[in-house]
Amino acid sequence: MEPRLAEAHLGGLLSQLGLDAEYVRGEADTLWWRRPSGDEVPVVDFVGGYGSLVLGHNHPEIVKHAQEVLRRQVPVHAQFSYHPYANDLALALNRVLWREFDTDEPYSAIFASTGAEAVEVALKHAEMARGARVAALREEIEAHLADAPAELAERVREHNEDRYDAPPVFLTLEGSFHGKLASSVQLTHNAGYRLPFRTLAVQARFVSGGEVAKEVEACRVTLLDVQDGGLVERDLPVIAAFFVEPIQGEGGIHVLDTGVAADIRAAADAGGFPVVVDEIQTGVGRTGAFFASSHIGLLGDYVLLAKALGGGIAKSAVTLMRQSAYVPDFELLHSSTFAKDAFSCLIGSRVVELVEQLDACGRAAERGAALESALRAVQADFPTVVADVRGRGLMLGLEFHDQSGAAGPVGELAGQGLLGYVLAGYLLNAHRVRVFPTASASHTLRFEPSVFITDEEIGQLAAGLRAVCTALRDNPFALLPG
C-alpha cells in the first residue's frame, strides 16, 4: 500500500469518526459519496463549503461561464498589467454596497485568494494607515516644540520618545474567528488555534460585547505636547482597527447585537480607527442581504469578502476599503501571485450578476425561514436536548445542551470537543446528511446550504436530527461509530 502523506493524521481522525467519505460529484445541495463497493450514494450537503456555496455545487451558469473563460484562453498569469476585469468586479460590489447602505462613497479593492489573506490585507493596510497617523502627529508635536523653551521641549521629547514606537493593538470580539494564518490567527478567540503561535505576530485584545468603550479606553496611550505655552496631552493612535463579524460563524452562529454594533461604530469614529467588517462567511447573499452587516446598519470602513464570491469554483477574496481611509501607496507594497487574476475576477462578476438576477437574497430569506422553522420544531420536541436555534437566513446553528457531564463515552467525547463531529458522522452514515459543528463551539451544528435547498431536503435533515436527539436522550451509544 502506498503511504498516505497528505494530512494523514487528520485522515485517521476522520476515519474514526465515520467522516472519511470520498465525494466524486456535486450538484446544487447534493454530493455523491463513492462507497468502497463503488456505488455512488447521494448525500444532502448542509455544510455548503463553510458558506462558499450560496448558489450550490457546480451551478450550471457558473460552470458555463468558467468553460467560456477557459475556452477563450484568458490569461491567468498576467501580473503587473492592466486588469479591467478586476475593476469591473470592484464596481459591481460597490454598486451593491451603495444600494444596501444608502451611500455613494467609493470603496477601493485589494484582491486576494482566500478569506484569511483578505484579513491579512486589512491588518497590513490598517497598520500602514496608523503608522502614517503616528508620523503626522509626531511631526505636528515637533513643530510645536521648535517654538517651546528648550528645557520644556526636552522634557516632552523624553516623555514621548519610547511611546511613538508602541506596537499596534487590534480589537475584536470574544468568540471571533478571522482565519488561521500567522497574523489572522491572533484575531481568532479560540485559544487552541491561537496560543501555539502567540509569539509570531500582532497583538489582539478580545472585547466583551458590553465593554467596547471600556476596552478602547484601556488601550489609551498619551503623548505630551506644548500648546499656548503649556503642556497638553495628546492621544497616540494605538488601536489600528476593530474587526467584527456580523454573525460569528465559527464561534457558534451568534448574530451581532445592533447595540454592540453601534457601540463599535461610535468608538471607532471617536478614536479615529477603522471598523473592519468580516463578511467572508456571511456575504454574497447568504443571510438575506448581500452584506449581512446591512441588517444591523453597520457600514465598515473595510469590508472583507471571500468564499461565495468564487461561486464554488474559483478561489477569490477581496478587501474593500473606504476611499477616505485608503492609502494608495499600499498597492506598491502588497501583492499576491493569484490576486486579481482574470479567471477569479470574471467568475466573481458572474456570481454578483446571478445573485442579483436570481434574487438570491430573497431566496436565502425564504429558504432560511423554512429551515429555521424545521430546526425550531426539533427544539420544541426535544427541549432537554436542544438548547438553542439561532442565526439569520441560510446561516443557522442548532446548539445542544452541554453533554460533557454525561456518563460514558459520549460525555468523554463532549469534554474533548468531539461530540459535534460524532453527531456529524452518525448523520452522514445513518441519514445521508452532511453537517459539521462550528470550529470553536463543537456542541453547535451549523447549516449553510444553498438558496436552492428544497423542503424535501430540509425534511431529511429534520428526520436525522430527531434521531440524534432521541439517541442523546435515550441511548447515546447508538450514535457512536461502529
Side-chain angles (χ1 to χ4, degrees), residues 25-338:
R25 288 188 294 131
E27 180 182 356
D29 289 288
T30 300
L31 285 169
W32 276 266
W33 173 12
R34 178 180 289 159
R35 304 284 286 167
S37 63
D39 296 337
E40 293 182 5
V41 178
V43 173
V44 183
D45 181 18
F46 281 88
V47 178
Y50 295 135
S52 299
L53 299 171
V54 167
L55 299 177
H57 291 277
N58 293 312
H59 188 282
E61 288 297 322
I62 298 174
V63 170
K64 177 182 176 182
H65 191 64
Q67 291 170 334
E68 174 61 18
V69 170
L70 294 174
R71 187 193 64 76
R72 285 160 39 203
Q73 296 185 313
V74 173
V76 173
H77 294 283
Q79 297 89 342
F80 215 68
S81 61
Y82 178 46
H83 293 174
Y85 36 79
N87 197 61
D88 291 342
L89 177 53
L91 279 170
L93 293 171
N94 267 268
R95 291 187 185 104
V96 179
L97 185 145
W98 297 336
R99 183 185 72 228
E100 290 199 347
F101 291 96
D102 191 23
T103 184
D104 59 2
E105 181 173 1
Y107 276 63
S108 296
I110 297 290
F111 287 90
S113 300
T114 68
E117 189 183 350
V119 172
E120 299 277 329
V121 169
L123 285 164
K124 289 177 64 179
H125 185 277
E127 173 54 9
M128 188 174 181
R130 188 194 73 90
R133 294 196 300 274
V134 171
L137 178 59
R138 185 171 193 168
E139 184 177 349
E140 181 184 344
I141 291 174
E142 283 297 323
H144 295 161
L145 296 183
D147 298 326
E151 184 176 342
L152 184 59
E154 181 61 26
R155 176 185 167 191
V156 169
R157 290 192 179 100
E158 184 178 343
H159 176 274
N160 290 349
E161 188 59 34
D162 293 338
R163 301 190 178 204
Y164 284 121
D165 294 327
V169 173
F170 293 88
L171 300 180
T172 188
L173 292 174
E174 293 177 351
S176 62
F177 183 96
H178 295 289
K180 295 180 181 177
L181 298 182
S183 294
S184 61
V185 76
Q186 307 303 323
L187 303 177
T188 291
H189 191 217
N190 187 326
Y193 297 134
R194 176 171 44 87
L195 292 185
F197 313 104
R198 63 188 179 278
T199 59
L200 282 180
V202 302
Q203 294 186 28
R205 297 181 70 157
F206 299 96
V207 183
S208 169
E211 298 186 345
V212 172
K214 179 181 177 181
E215 194 63 46
V216 169
E217 178 62 25
C219 295
R220 189 179 180 213
V221 174
T222 56
L223 303 170
L224 291 179
D225 193 3
V226 177
Q227 295 181 11
D228 299 325
L231 287 175
V232 296
E233 286 189 340
R234 303 287 299 275
D235 283 341
L236 177 72
V238 173
I239 300 173
F242 200 127
F243 281 72
V244 61
E245 300 159 274
I247 302 175
Q248 289 184 339
E250 307 300 337
I253 314 296
H254 293 282
V255 179
L256 180 63
D257 179 79
T258 303
V260 174
D263 289 344
I264 293 170
R265 182 72 269 173
D269 291 342
F273 54 85
V275 175
V276 181
V277 177
D278 182 341
E279 294 261 11
I280 290 165
Q281 192 166 168
T282 57
V284 197
R286 173 154 298 282
T287 66
F290 196 97
F291 296 97
S293 49
S294 67
H295 293 301
I296 53 175
L298 179 61
L299 176 57
D301 303 293
Y302 301 14
V303 181
L304 315 182
L305 292 170
K307 290 186 182 290
L309 189 63
I313 291 179
K315 296 182 176 72
S316 184
V318 65
T319 302
L320 299 172
M321 289 170 275
R322 189 193 296 269
Q323 278 201 348
S324 58
Y326 186 59
V327 182
D329 283 350
F330 182 79
E331 299 169 15
L332 307 178
L333 302 179
H334 179 86
S335 63
S336 176
T337 298
F338 284 94

